[in-house]
Short mmCIF file of all heavy atoms in Angstrom, two decimals:
data_model
loop_
_atom_site.label_atom_id
_atom_site.label_comp_id
_atom_site.label_asym_id
_atom_site.label_seq_id
_atom_site.Cartn_x
_atom_site.Cartn_y
_atom_site.Cartn_z
N VAL D 600 17.05 -7.17 6.85
CA VAL D 600 18.27 -6.39 6.61
C VAL D 600 19.36 -7.30 6.05
O VAL D 600 19.99 -8.07 6.79
CB VAL D 600 18.75 -5.68 7.90
CG1 VAL D 600 19.98 -4.82 7.62
CG2 VAL D 600 17.63 -4.83 8.49
N SER D 601 19.55 -7.21 4.74
CA SER D 601 20.57 -8.00 4.06
C SER D 601 21.91 -7.26 4.09
O SER D 601 21.94 -6.03 4.22
CB SER D 601 20.15 -8.20 2.60
OG SER D 601 21.22 -8.67 1.84
N TYR D 602 23.00 -8.01 3.93
CA TYR D 602 24.33 -7.38 3.86
C TYR D 602 25.00 -7.68 2.53
O TYR D 602 26.22 -7.52 2.40
CB TYR D 602 25.20 -7.82 5.06
CG TYR D 602 24.43 -7.60 6.33
CD1 TYR D 602 23.75 -8.65 6.95
CD2 TYR D 602 24.27 -6.32 6.85
CE1 TYR D 602 22.95 -8.43 8.05
CE2 TYR D 602 23.47 -6.09 7.95
CZ TYR D 602 22.82 -7.15 8.54
OH TYR D 602 22.02 -6.92 9.62
N VAL D 603 24.19 -8.15 1.57
CA VAL D 603 24.76 -8.47 0.24
C VAL D 603 24.01 -7.72 -0.86
O VAL D 603 24.08 -8.08 -2.02
CB VAL D 603 24.75 -10.00 -0.04
CG1 VAL D 603 25.69 -10.72 0.91
CG2 VAL D 603 23.35 -10.58 0.05
N THR D 604 23.31 -6.66 -0.49
CA THR D 604 22.55 -5.89 -1.48
C THR D 604 23.36 -4.66 -1.92
O THR D 604 24.40 -4.36 -1.33
CB THR D 604 21.18 -5.49 -0.91
OG1 THR D 604 21.40 -4.95 0.40
CG2 THR D 604 20.27 -6.68 -0.82
N THR D 605 22.87 -3.98 -2.95
CA THR D 605 23.68 -2.94 -3.59
C THR D 605 23.14 -1.53 -3.29
O THR D 605 21.98 -1.36 -2.92
CB THR D 605 23.71 -3.18 -5.11
OG1 THR D 605 22.37 -3.37 -5.55
CG2 THR D 605 24.51 -4.43 -5.44
N PRO D 606 24.00 -0.51 -3.49
CA PRO D 606 23.61 0.87 -3.16
C PRO D 606 22.31 1.28 -3.87
O PRO D 606 22.08 0.92 -5.03
CB PRO D 606 24.79 1.70 -3.66
CG PRO D 606 25.96 0.78 -3.59
CD PRO D 606 25.41 -0.58 -3.92
N GLY D 607 21.48 2.02 -3.14
CA GLY D 607 20.23 2.53 -3.71
C GLY D 607 19.09 1.52 -3.69
O GLY D 607 17.98 1.85 -4.08
N THR D 608 19.38 0.29 -3.25
CA THR D 608 18.32 -0.72 -3.18
C THR D 608 17.91 -0.94 -1.72
O THR D 608 18.55 -0.44 -0.81
CB THR D 608 18.75 -2.08 -3.76
OG1 THR D 608 19.76 -2.65 -2.90
CG2 THR D 608 19.31 -1.93 -5.17
N GLU D 609 16.86 -1.69 -1.52
CA GLU D 609 16.32 -2.05 -0.19
C GLU D 609 15.66 -0.82 0.44
O GLU D 609 15.55 0.23 -0.16
CB GLU D 609 17.41 -2.65 0.71
CG GLU D 609 18.06 -3.89 0.13
CD GLU D 609 17.12 -5.09 0.01
OE1 GLU D 609 16.55 -5.50 1.03
OE2 GLU D 609 16.93 -5.60 -1.09
N MET D 610 15.21 -0.99 1.68
CA MET D 610 14.35 0.04 2.28
C MET D 610 15.08 1.34 2.61
O MET D 610 16.24 1.33 3.01
CB MET D 610 13.69 -0.52 3.55
CG MET D 610 12.53 0.34 4.06
SD MET D 610 11.74 -0.38 5.49
CE MET D 610 10.67 -1.60 4.74
N LEU D 611 14.35 2.44 2.42
CA LEU D 611 14.81 3.77 2.84
C LEU D 611 14.93 3.77 4.38
O LEU D 611 14.02 3.30 5.07
CB LEU D 611 13.76 4.80 2.40
CG LEU D 611 14.01 6.26 2.74
CD1 LEU D 611 15.19 6.83 1.94
CD2 LEU D 611 12.74 7.08 2.48
N MET D 612 16.05 4.28 4.88
CA MET D 612 16.20 4.40 6.34
C MET D 612 15.61 5.75 6.78
O MET D 612 16.00 6.80 6.24
CB MET D 612 17.68 4.31 6.73
CG MET D 612 18.27 2.91 6.53
SD MET D 612 19.99 2.77 7.07
CE MET D 612 20.86 3.24 5.57
N VAL D 613 14.67 5.70 7.69
CA VAL D 613 13.91 6.89 8.11
C VAL D 613 14.02 7.03 9.63
O VAL D 613 13.98 6.03 10.34
CB VAL D 613 12.43 6.73 7.66
CG1 VAL D 613 11.57 7.86 8.21
CG2 VAL D 613 12.33 6.66 6.14
#
Side-chain angles (χ1 to χ4, degrees):
V600 183
S601 166
Y602 309 98
V603 294
T604 48
T605 50
T608 68
E609 302 293 303
M610 194 178 279
L611 179 69
M612 291 183 271
V613 174

